[in-house]
Amino acid sequence: MLVEGVHFDRGRLDDHAIGARAAGANLSDIAAMAARPLCLVAGFGLPEGFGGAEQLAAGLASYGVPVAGGDLSRAPVLTLSVTAIGRAERPLLRSGGRPGDRLVVTGRLGAQAVSGYTLPVRPRLAEGLELAAIATAMIDVSDGIAGDVRRLAAACGCGATVWLDRLPLADGATVEQAATGGEDFELLAAVSPGAQLPDWVTEVGVLSEGAAVELVDAAGTARELHGWDHFR
Amino acid sequence: MLVEGVHFDRGRLDDHAIGARAAGANLSDIAAMAARPLCLVAGFGLPEGFGGAEQLAAGLASYGVPVAGGDLSRAPVLTLSVTAIGRAERPLLRSGGRPGDRLVVTGRLGAQAVSGYTLPVRPRLAEGLELAAIATAMIDVSDGIAGDVRRLAAACGCGATVWLDRLPLADGATVEQAATGGEDFELLAAVSPGAQLPDWVTEVGVLSEGAAVELVDAAGTARELHGWDHFR
């Protein structure tokens, strides 16, 4: 669910971009399960006087995934709830990683934070399907790797170490933006120790025994960094 | 999407009942397509200080349909968006009716309006499957038959007549409540003229040539009645 004032600001994104963002964020979850999208279903909550429903719908459809249905309602602030439905022969879960698995990410991190969360979302659908061949667990980086690595590790029953100096930084991004900015919608995967890595991922850490998750700098010092929390 | 202050009032329904209502309304859509539910996906938008998420989730699961996933977000008012996923060998659409088809409804109408919209929702899943054998088009009565018959007729490219004196009234319900009160979640089907009707439906009208939809009283006078409109 994307809620005006919580997830987006109508001053920064036009209605088409808001619809696209809602679709892209959900398609990113499909990518993270190594699935192929079949369709989208959307509920829009529209505030009094809002005239952009057609633009929202056009943005929603902009990834070429059919919009199979949905509903409209009155709401106090613009609210979009999108469900992406996909199919996977063998869905890749968050929970299959084991100690010793390497942690890799696609693309670069922090670009959305640098842009003020206005860049188009590019769900990593093709990359998700390809990573399925070597990944033991996968998640999309929606709240910043500092948060999402904790979710992945917890689901695997593991701890983890992330090397902050190895994070692939977007142009102009600080390590903090890359680790905690969120909404980059890259994929974070655990891969078997012996797997051959494609050249479009970056190795950023490792799963470990125990439950401790540490983000360490180049000097080996753990940093207190946390992903974005809607409820914070 | 169910929005506090638009679709429900937290003074009248507890959190379990709100969750159940969100599930029931969506399962009613599955029933209207003569489908079998597979799972539910839910997004909850929770206002500051709200402590009832577990009760919402328990209500959501109360029909025995698995809850496959979802997300939580902050929102200015309690907001529930549920997607029901079902499977039908041959989905029954709103659009298959033809002039001369009889209009039938399940159950009785107006009970929710009489109760102040606090009665549990009972989606007509079994009835939907059974009606599929004789129905040419079907819709669930969510906004009152006065509104939903217009949607059905328009989708069929037909007009329609509804005989208000034949509406099956819930105990204590007026004809107005039965026609316009909404949220009864009964099924309204068009059935072939020669079909044998089950004894648990009531014949309330007929599809006609043209585009005019009339709700007529016992004297044959058309009444100006309209279904509930969230945007009115």
Side-chain angles (χ1 to χ4, degrees):
Chain A
M1 186 175 289
L2 296 189
V3 180
E4 178 184 349
V6 178
H7 301 91
F8 63 88
D9 175 347
R10 282 169 68 196
R12 292 195 199 184
L13 289 179
D14 65 22
D15 298 327
H16 187 284
I18 292 168
R21 203 165 187 85
N26 280 277
L27 292 171
S28 179
D29 282 323
I30 295 286
M33 297 191 81
R36 294 173 197 276
L38 294 176
C39 64
L40 300 171
V41 180
F44 292 163
L46 308 179
E48 191 96 34
F50 178 81
E54 284 184 26
Q55 283 301 304
L56 289 179
L60 191 72
S62 63
Y63 292 93
V65 178
V67 178
D71 68 353
L72 297 176
S73 170
R74 182 63 72 219
V77 298
L78 185 59
T79 307
L80 291 82
S81 182
V82 175
T83 301
I85 297 165
R87 179 169 285 152
E89 296 299 308
R90 194 182 61 86
L92 188 57
L93 305 181
R94 295 180 181 181
S95 53
R98 277 193 286 265
D101 285 355
R102 294 182 289 169
L103 294 172
V104 302
V105 291
T106 59
R108 299 197 288 163
L109 301 176
Q112 288 285 349
V114 169
S115 77
Y117 303 98
T118 58
L119 282 183
V121 172
R122 180 170 173 271
R124 296 289 192 179
L125 289 160
E127 293 85 347
L129 291 170
E130 199 165 333
L131 280 169
I134 55 168
T136 56
M138 195 151 63
I139 190 170
D140 68 323
V141 183
S142 55
D143 296 332
I145 193 172
D148 293 311
V149 71
R150 288 185 167 85
R151 293 196 181 102
L152 186 82
C156 296
C158 292
T161 300
V162 170
W163 306 302
L164 292 168
D165 59 324
R166 299 223 200 152
L167 294 185
L169 303 186
D171 287 343
T174 64
V175 167
E176 288 71 19
Q177 286 174 316
T180 70
E183 306 225 359
D184 286 313
F185 296 109
E186 298 294 343
L187 297 176
L188 170 64
V191 299
S192 315
Q196 176 85 26
L197 299 183
D199 62 8
W200 40 265
V201 300
T202 306
E203 191 171 349
V204 297
V206 64
L207 291 180
S208 56
E209 303 278 354
V213 174
E214 284 196 330
L215 294 96
V216 298
D217 64 18
T221 309
R223 295 277 307 277
E224 271 297 323
L225 295 170
H226 293 278
W228 197 65
D229 178 352
H230 308 174
F231 294 101
R232 197 166 54 188
Chain B
M1 188 177 287
L2 297 188
V3 180
E4 178 184 349
V6 179
H7 301 92
F8 64 87
D9 175 347
R10 282 169 68 193
R12 291 196 197 185
L13 290 179
D14 65 22
D15 297 327
H16 188 282
I18 292 168
R21 202 164 189 86
N26 279 278
L27 292 170
S28 179
D29 282 322
I30 295 285
M33 298 192 80
R36 294 173 197 276
L38 294 176
C39 64
L40 301 172
V41 179
F44 293 163
L46 309 179
E48 190 93 37
F50 179 81
E54 282 185 26
Q55 283 301 303
L56 290 179
L60 190 73
S62 63
Y63 292 93
V65 177
V67 178
D71 69 353
L72 297 176
S73 171
R74 180 65 73 218
V77 298
L78 185 58
T79 306
L80 291 81
S81 181
V82 175
T83 300
I85 297 165
R87 179 169 286 155
E89 295 299 310
R90 194 182 61 85
L92 189 56
L93 306 181
R94 295 178 179 181
S95 53
R98 280 194 285 264
D101 284 357
R102 297 182 286 171
L103 294 172
V104 304
V105 291
T106 59
R108 298 197 290 165
L109 301 175
Q112 288 285 349
V114 168
S115 77
Y117 303 96
T118 58
L119 283 183
V121 172
R122 180 171 171 271
R124 295 291 192 178
L125 289 160
E127 293 85 346
L129 291 171
E130 199 166 331
L131 280 169
I134 56 168
T136 56
M138 195 149 65
I139 191 171
D140 67 324
V141 184
S142 54
D143 295 332
I145 193 171
D148 292 313
V149 72
R150 287 183 168 85
R151 291 197 183 101
L152 187 80
C156 296
C158 292
T161 301
V162 170
W163 306 303
L164 291 169
D165 60 324
R166 300 222 200 151
L167 293 184
L169 303 185
D171 288 343
T174 63
V175 167
E176 287 72 17
Q177 286 174 317
T180 71
E183 305 225 359
D184 285 314
F185 296 108
E186 298 294 344
L187 297 176
L188 169 64
V191 299
S192 315
Q196 176 83 28
L197 299 182
D199 63 7
W200 41 266
V201 299
T202 306
E203 191 173 349
V204 298
V206 65
L207 291 181
S208 55
E209 302 278 354
V213 174
E214 286 196 329
L215 294 97
V216 298
D217 64 18
T221 307
R223 294 277 308 276
E224 270 298 321
L225 295 170
H226 292 275
W228 196 66
D229 179 352
H230 308 172
F231 294 101
R232 203 169 50 190

